[in-house]
Amino acid sequence: MSFSISAIPDIRFGEGALSGLPAAVKSFDGVGAVLLVIDAFLAQSGLAAKVSAELAEAGVKTQVFSDFAGEPKLAHLHAAIAAGQGADMVIGIGGGSALDIGKIVACCIASGEDPMHYALAANPLPKNPLKKIMVPTTAGTGSETSATNIFAGPEGKKLWIWGPETKADLVILDPALTKTLPANLTAWCGLDAFIHAFEAATNRNTHRGAQFYAHQALRLITGALETAVKQPDDMAARGDVLLGSCFAGIAIDNCGTAIAHNISHALAGLGPVHHGLATALGFEATLLWLVEADTAELNAAAKACGVASAADLPAFVSGWMDRCGITRSLPAAFKPFDAADLAREMRATENQPMRRSTIRDVTDADIDRFAAAVMALPKGI
């Protein structure tokens, strides 16, 4: 079997690694001004001011953009582009939304084009985007190593901008930045990363190159997430989950995801729900069906998780979710919707790649059954 592995950014890992940011910025030629895209609560914590002051000492001016919440929307992108005029570099610090915003606007500032110009690969991305440094503070999305970026378009539907031009030039992984993440978010984000690795290692697109990263991500995350949730000051556990998330991001950058992400993206089409929670709920609802395929790849992934075979995975995953404190429920915003609504979203054109990449054929009857299982969960708890 032949395969190729897409480019992986430079990665710097270690507690306190963020302290090297000013020197890293100066290592790029001609950077006199940066746009810092940072989560609002991180900005309010003083981190934006600290980073700006350190960059100022290095002779670099900083414009801060933190006026966003939830998943990126077109309005957020427009505001970030306006804030970043004149910047030579974009630095993203935060969760997947901050990183995706940063990566998209680095292209749009360079080209002068609207994000919609690039949505769903409508037009080629600019060959010379602004330089990008990405610093994840949640261990989940893997956006720091990915060429895929998600935002909600003018009608609220999820859209993608993808291409190597959106990738970071440098990734800084500092587990100390994840320490303040609440236990539920640590669990939700960690499970998202785990499912990234699992789906990339087992779907129709998988190959040995991606599995090298995916299997290591499975080992790291299954070995450390419960500790990271229950002992937030354990930097070794935090570091393992953060590194696992990064490796999982490399894996999905090469092979994509599968049915659990079809469900989570479909849920997001109905109402606001944390992506990690939605993906975990979709994964648990489909795993027993999935492992019936009993492929060599599913069994290899199971062994990377520390269990004997694919058949053991459903019980393992459900028990692990219990220990990590995952409540199986949907937000109150889902009360108006039923299984037919979710099934419709699962069949939407934008979600078909995840359906097709699943190792088992996903029939319409399967979609109806999965949608019924997920929408039967309590709402508003």
Side-chain angles (χ1 to χ4, degrees):
M1 179 184 180
S2 60
F3 62 84
S4 61
I5 298 176
S6 61
I8 299 169
D10 286 350
I11 298 171
R12 299 181 187 175
F13 172 88
E15 187 176 356
L18 185 64
S19 64
L21 181 61
V25 171
K26 294 302 289 182
S27 71
F28 292 89
D29 292 336
V31 177
V34 303
L35 171 66
L36 174 61
V37 180
I38 185 168
D39 285 351
F41 80 93
L42 291 173
Q44 292 158 8
S45 76
L47 184 59
K50 181 174 182 288
V51 168
S52 298
E54 291 173 351
L55 290 173
E57 287 181 18
V60 178
K61 290 187 289 187
T62 304
Q63 174 64 42
V64 176
F65 175 73
S66 62
D67 189 16
F68 61 93
E71 295 191 341
K73 300 173 180 62
L74 185 60
H76 298 148
L77 299 176
H78 287 159
I81 290 165
Q85 293 303 308
D88 308 303
M89 170 184 279
V90 177
I91 300 170
I93 302 180
S97 294
L99 305 190
D100 280 4
I101 291 170
K103 291 155 62 187
I104 292 170
V105 303
C107 292
C108 294
I109 292 170
S111 69
E113 296 286 357
D114 189 273
M116 292 302 294
H117 183 70
Y118 303 116
L120 302 179
N123 291 285
L125 288 157
K127 294 304 177 188
N128 294 297
L130 302 190
K131 296 296 184 184
K132 301 174 283 298
I133 297 177
M134 296 293 128
V135 188
T137 62
T138 63
T141 69
S143 177
E144 66 274 11
T145 53
S146 170
T148 301
N149 311 276
I150 297 171
F151 70 101
E155 297 170 0
K157 292 294 184 184
K158 281 196 174 186
L159 298 172
W160 284 261
I161 290 176
W162 63 85
E165 297 85 357
T166 69
K167 281 195 173 184
D169 297 283
L170 171 65
V171 172
I172 295 176
L173 301 177
D174 187 340
L177 294 173
T178 72
K179 190 167 73 169
T180 58
L181 204 62
N184 66 323
L185 289 176
T186 298
W188 293 349
C189 293
L191 279 161
D192 187 26
F194 168 82
I195 297 162
H196 286 161
F198 187 90
E199 293 196 325
T202 59
N203 68 24
R204 293 180 192 269
N205 308 317
T206 194
H207 54 68
R208 287 183 296 165
Q211 288 165 7
F212 176 83
Y213 293 97
H215 288 166
Q216 182 62 4
L218 295 174
R219 294 182 196 103
L220 288 166
I221 297 167
T222 54
L225 181 60
E226 187 180 349
T227 301
V229 169
K230 295 177 177 177
Q231 301 173 37
D233 292 336
D234 189 320
M235 281 300 107
R238 288 274 183 194
D240 280 357
V241 177
L242 183 61
L243 192 59
S245 173
C246 181
F247 289 166
I250 294 169
I252 59 166
D253 189 52
N254 284 275
C255 297
T257 56
I259 187 62
H261 278 80
N262 173 286
I263 293 172
S264 64
H265 285 279
L267 284 167
L270 295 178
V273 57
H274 188 279
H275 173 71
L277 173 61
T279 305
L281 296 176
F283 188 67
E284 189 176 33
T286 56
L287 187 55
L288 186 63
W289 166 87
L290 186 74
V291 299
E292 288 174 0
D294 198 31
T295 64
E297 289 79 12
L298 283 164
N299 283 286
K303 287 182 171 60
C305 296
V307 298
S309 69
D312 300 312
L313 280 167
F316 165 76
V317 168
S318 292
W320 186 39
M321 288 172 63
D322 288 342
R323 295 192 302 277
C324 289
I326 302 293
T327 299
R328 276 63 154 201
S329 66
L330 291 166
F334 285 82
K335 287 182 178 179
F337 301 108
D338 61 16
D341 296 313
L342 180 58
R344 184 188 66 249
E345 291 292 331
M346 289 176 67
R347 294 186 178 100
T349 302
E350 62 269 23
N351 293 325
Q352 292 316 289
M354 293 167 277
R355 177 183 181 178
R356 289 192 299 268
S357 67
T358 304
I359 195 62
R360 291 190 66 179
D361 289 337
V362 183
T363 67
D364 282 345
D366 291 328
I367 283 181
D368 291 339
R369 191 171 70 257
F370 299 152
V374 172
M375 294 306 286
L377 293 169
K379 301 177 181 72
I381 296 176

